[in-house]
Amino acid sequence: MAKARRTASPRKAQTAVKDRLRNWGVALGLSLRALSTAAALLLLVLLLGRGALALYASPVAHIVVTGKLDTRHREAVRSTVADSIDSGLLALDLQALQAQLEALPWIYRATLRRQFPDTIEIRVIEQLPIARWGDRAFLKHEARVVEVADAQRWASLPLIRGPQGSEALMMSHYRHLLEQLRPLELLPASLQEDGFGQITVLLDNGVELVLGKRELFGERVDNFLTLWRAELRGEAERVERVDMRYAAGAAVAFSDTPQIAALATASQTGRE
């Protein structure tokens, strides 16, 4: 006898349909939420990208120059940067602009930074001359020769004079003198080398120091320091000239006597 076929009750069938619909609804809701989130993120990316592009292409409207500069140099900095700007604020190559400014002979260091939305700020440290070079030019700290418009402003600087091409060597000699003379409360007012390679120094107290051959510069400076400490410091007001062109000694001229006091051994009378 054939068995009777079982069929699901109408109530169970309705429950199963409802469960399927509920699951589909949940899945659809999650999918819509994910799509909404992705759309929001995409919109945010587009907005940020558009903003970045706007800043990247945003023109520089203001150039602010700070530092101790006169009006002429301040305007020159502003003009140099303005002429070199060919892109928006974010696209500017600040390192290239810095190198361009620091190549100017009167700028020691330049620092640049962006100020959003449309400003570039430039802080400049002026490169001042530290000595006069000959009659018209000046020497900077790295021994570079420059000419300045307001030369009278620097007329009191020490004078350095030497053959063409000797700037670096003479600057090195000058720095050595500064370092060695300061403990004795002396300073070089001028340092000169003639066409024969003979070096002469004028000290700030008026004493003329003759050092002779450039090759013996360091040795003779040391000998002078020893002589000044041991013999001449107490007579500083009377000393007019010290000639160190002797093998192991010096000749000193005093202001109140016509004779020259020889501070050398009797057998060492030659000089060079």
Side-chain angles (χ1 to χ4, degrees):
M1 182 174 179
K3 292 184 179 180
R5 194 175 198 180
R6 293 184 179 181
T7 59
S9 67
R11 182 175 294 177
K12 289 184 177 180
Q14 290 177 0
T15 301
V17 171
K18 288 180 180 179
D19 289 341
R20 289 192 187 97
L21 291 175
R22 187 182 297 112
N23 292 336
W24 289 345
V26 171
L28 181 60
L30 291 175
S31 298
L32 291 175
R33 187 178 299 173
L35 287 173
S36 177
T37 302
L41 288 174
L42 179 60
L43 179 61
L44 179 61
V45 170
L46 290 174
L47 290 175
L48 289 175
R50 181 175 295 180
L53 287 174
L55 286 175
Y56 194 82
S58 176
V60 176
H62 305 286
I63 299 174
V64 178
V65 181
T66 63
K68 294 182 179 180
L69 294 174
D70 58 34
T71 302
R72 180 172 58 87
H73 283 166
R74 191 179 301 276
E75 289 303 319
V77 170
R78 188 176 287 109
S79 176
T80 298
V81 173
D83 292 343
S84 301
I85 293 177
D86 56 2
S87 59
L89 186 63
L90 275 179
L92 283 177
D93 187 342
L94 296 187
Q95 290 186 344
L97 287 174
Q98 178 184 2
Q100 186 174 355
L101 288 174
E102 291 181 351
L104 296 174
W106 40 270
I107 290 183
Y108 175 64
R109 181 172 294 120
T111 305
L112 297 87
R113 67 173 185 171
R114 302 176 181 88
Q115 286 188 342
F116 296 105
D118 58 3
T119 300
I120 180 170
E121 180 182 348
I122 307 163
R123 179 170 178 79
V124 174
I125 299 177
E126 189 175 11
Q127 184 167 223
L128 302 177
I130 64 173
R132 292 174 290 152
W133 176 253
D135 298 323
R136 298 182 180 180
F138 294 85
L139 283 176
K140 300 300 181 78
H141 72 284
E142 76 281 21
R144 182 168 54 173
V145 178
V146 296
E147 294 185 5
V148 297
D150 50 349
Q152 191 59 34
R153 175 185 175 189
W154 313 107
S156 61
L157 288 177
L159 172 66
I160 300 178
R161 192 190 303 272
Q164 185 176 2
S166 67
E167 296 88 351
L169 179 61
M170 295 299 287
M171 179 61 75
S172 176
H173 287 342
Y174 174 74
R175 287 174 174 164
H176 181 73
L177 285 170
L178 278 178
E179 180 181 349
Q180 297 300 317
L181 292 175
R182 274 176 178 154
L184 301 180
E185 299 182 349
L186 297 172
L187 292 173
S190 74
L191 169 66
Q192 303 190 54
E193 179 183 329
D194 63 20
F196 300 98
Q198 300 288 307
I199 294 179
T200 302
V201 180
L202 180 65
L203 302 180
D204 62 339
N205 64 354
V207 173
E208 181 184 19
L209 172 60
V210 183
L211 296 173
K213 290 183 176 181
R214 71 166 75 96
E215 295 82 2
L216 300 175
F217 174 84
E219 176 184 337
R220 287 178 174 172
V221 168
D222 290 342
N223 291 342
F224 168 76
L225 297 175
T226 300
L227 175 62
W228 188 267
R229 291 189 184 99
E231 304 287 344
L232 301 179
R233 186 190 296 223
E235 304 288 338
E237 295 183 359
R238 298 176 53 226
V239 178
E240 285 191 341
R241 187 172 187 265
V242 181
D243 190 343
M244 301 300 302
R245 294 175 296 174
Y246 293 84
V252 182
F254 295 90
S255 59
D256 55 357
T257 177
Q259 72 268 22
I260 295 178
L263 301 175
T265 60
S267 61
Q268 295 170 333
T269 57
R271 68 181 187 181
E272 55 183 354

